[in-house]
Amino acid sequence: MKILFYGAKNYDEQFFQKLFPQYPGMEFTFIEANIYPETASLAQGYDGICAFVNADLGTAVIEKLHEYGIRLILMRCAGYNNVDLETAKKYGIKILRVPGYSPEAVAEHAMALVLTANRHTHKAYIKCRENNFALSGLMGVNLYQKTAGIIGTGKIGLAMARICKGFGMNVIAYDLYPNKELDFLKYVSLDELLSSSDLISLHCPLTEETKHIIREETIAKMKDGVILVNTSRGGLIKTDDLISGIRDHKFFAVGLDVYEEETDFVYEDMSERILQSSTIQRLLSFPNVTMTSHQGFFTEEALTNIAETTLQNARAFMNGEELKNEVLS
Ligand code: NAI
């Protein structure tokens, strides 16, 4: 079976290649180009492709992949909001993913964003390097005994809830399907979470229902001085409304690992380019916004687990075994 890896970075190759000897009967090719309608033809002659969160697997691409005989799409990530599942289903193309490869990796990054955005460690570091030992602009707030509101208590939300508990926070949560076994947090309505939380961390998937769950109307319900963190998907937040909220001094701090416009930039070095979009620049112009580039997953443990599960998924497909990690529409 031949698999083409789109959008492959050095670190992808490094973690996957270590495991290849355990997967005889499979051939893997890595290319840097990501998948979009113009690059889909590169998949000709392969049985399957492997893609990441920033891939365009919309209708046009899936149609082309079907034309080229692709039967398998291996997502080397948990999310699949970028895949047209209906069209894939129509053509019998299987979509497999890597659920929960390291919830702690993402949750720990969410807390890193909270701490950075709150205590301005990124600015303090640069100031100290410049021999500026003044503290102006660096004041934060204690998290201890404050309320953390977790939206989505799946694998990552639960890991984040545990971290917040460890900080001595009171943890509340909102989920469509509350996990009754969790006794250290209290489930509340979305409205109550919005109005009671000092920290709101988003961990639900991007669906039609959750798109723009954070918008003017929900921002208005939040406490003044709230800290908002998004490590889930950019589309959960309506960016223009967030910008208005920041301008209205609603937020003490905002930490974003994901944002609506990220697909064109994420994982690329754009430092020599003049960006045509102003939204990211507007967000970065605010002193209380901290951004990273969709790196929540980026730990050695997570990359090891991603490589292992992706290759197990490929082998299960090749051998006609049960597909435990199939995404069903
Ligand atoms: P999960 O499937 O374990 O948990 C998602 C939770 O959200 C479930 O408990 C579900 O019931 C809940 N949910 C679904 N719809 C909801 C709604 N309308 N309102 C409230 N809750 C709702 O997913 P997991 O593994 O915890 O991942 C969460 C998200 O994190 C993924 O969908 C992905 O977008 C994002 N992610 C980000 C990464 C990064 O590098 N920044 C890496 C991996 C995942």
Side-chain angles (χ1 to χ4, degrees), residues 143-179:
L143 297 179
Y144 180 63
Q145 291 189 337
K146 298 278 169 55
T147 297
I150 310 291
I151 300 186
T153 51
K155 291 175 277 301
I156 298 172
L158 174 56
M160 180 61 172
R162 286 202 185 106
I163 291 172
C164 292
K165 192 72 189 169
F167 271 69
M169 301 185 82
N170 166 41
V171 185
I172 60 174
Y174 168 71
D175 196 301
L176 280 188
Y177 307 99
N179 179 347

Side-chain angles (χ1 to χ4, degrees), residues 35-317:
I35 187 159
Y36 39 88
E38 293 76 9
T39 57
S41 61
L42 298 171
Q44 286 184 79
Y46 289 87
D47 303 292
I49 65 143
C50 181
F52 197 49
V53 285
N54 53 338
D56 170 358
L57 290 162
T59 314
V61 168
I62 302 273
E63 299 266 0
K64 284 186 190 263
L65 291 179
H66 166 65
E67 235 175 83
Y68 304 137
I70 292 296
R71 295 174 295 136
L72 173 66
I73 296 178
L74 295 165
M75 298 302 293
R76 52 179 190 276
C77 54
Y80 48 86
N81 53 283
N82 49 339
V83 187
D84 178 352
L85 297 180
E86 287 302 328
T87 308
K89 187 179 171 187
K90 186 168 95 183
Y91 295 126
I93 299 175
K94 297 284 183 196
I95 315 288
L96 303 181
R97 67 176 185 128
V98 187
Y101 47 79
S102 178
E104 289 74 22
V106 185
E108 287 171 16
H109 189 72
M111 185 46 98
L113 277 174
V114 174
L115 294 174
T116 307
N118 175 26
R119 302 301 295 268
H120 314 286
T121 42
H122 54 313
K123 291 182 189 169
Y125 169 74
I126 290 168
K127 280 183 170 216
C128 285
R129 284 179 58 127
E130 302 287 326
N131 292 343
N132 176 355
F133 305 106
L135 297 182
S136 55
L138 301 183
M139 194 183 290
V141 291
N142 276 14
L143 297 179
Y144 180 63
Q145 291 189 337
K146 298 278 169 55
T147 297
I150 310 291
I151 300 186
T153 51
K155 291 175 277 301
I156 298 172
L158 174 56
M160 180 61 172
R162 286 202 185 106
I163 291 172
C164 292
K165 192 72 189 169
F167 271 69
M169 301 185 82
N170 166 41
V171 185
I172 60 174
Y174 168 71
D175 196 301
L176 280 188
Y177 307 99
N179 179 347
K180 305 240 162 50
E181 285 170 19
L182 303 181
D183 55 1
F184 70 94
L185 57 75
K186 183 177 161 221
Y187 281 101
V188 296
S189 66
L190 180 59
D191 277 0
E192 189 177 341
L193 183 142
L194 294 169
S195 61
S196 327
S197 300
D198 302 291
L199 159 65
I200 296 177
S201 195
L202 306 181
H203 300 289
C204 56
L206 177 61
T207 61
E208 272 175 32
E209 207 168 357
T210 58
K211 184 167 168 43
H212 293 166
I213 193 169
I214 303 300
R215 56 184 184 276
E216 187 182 2
E217 178 197 341
T218 44
I219 291 172
K221 291 176 182 166
M222 293 178 193
K223 269 186 174 182
D224 288 343
V226 64
I227 297 175
L228 174 69
V229 170
N230 187 11
T231 53
S232 202
R233 284 292 179 266
L236 296 178
I237 298 181
K238 190 167 179 195
T239 312
D240 285 341
D241 291 2
L242 175 67
I243 288 170
S244 303
I246 295 167
R247 288 198 169 126
D248 290 345
H249 301 278
K250 187 74 185 176
F251 300 95
F252 184 79
V254 175
L256 303 174
D257 188 43
V258 288
Y259 25 94
E260 283 189 296
E261 278 185 339
E262 71 180 46
T263 313
D264 292 341
F265 313 115
V266 73
Y267 308 130
E268 300 303 326
D269 178 358
M270 310 288 280
S271 53
E272 303 285 315
R273 309 246 191 110
I274 293 172
L275 296 188
Q276 297 303 313
S277 148
S278 61
T279 313
I280 290 177
Q281 295 312 319
R282 258 189 300 160
L283 280 168
L284 284 170
S285 72
F286 300 118
N288 57 343
V289 175
T290 306
M291 287 169 78
T292 52
S293 182
H294 208 139
Q295 67 172 77
F297 73 100
F298 203 51
T299 66
E300 289 184 9
E301 291 80 358
L303 288 177
T304 303
N305 291 340
I306 286 173
E308 274 172 8
T309 306
T310 303
L311 293 178
Q312 284 162 6
N313 285 344
R315 183 165 55 194
F317 177 84

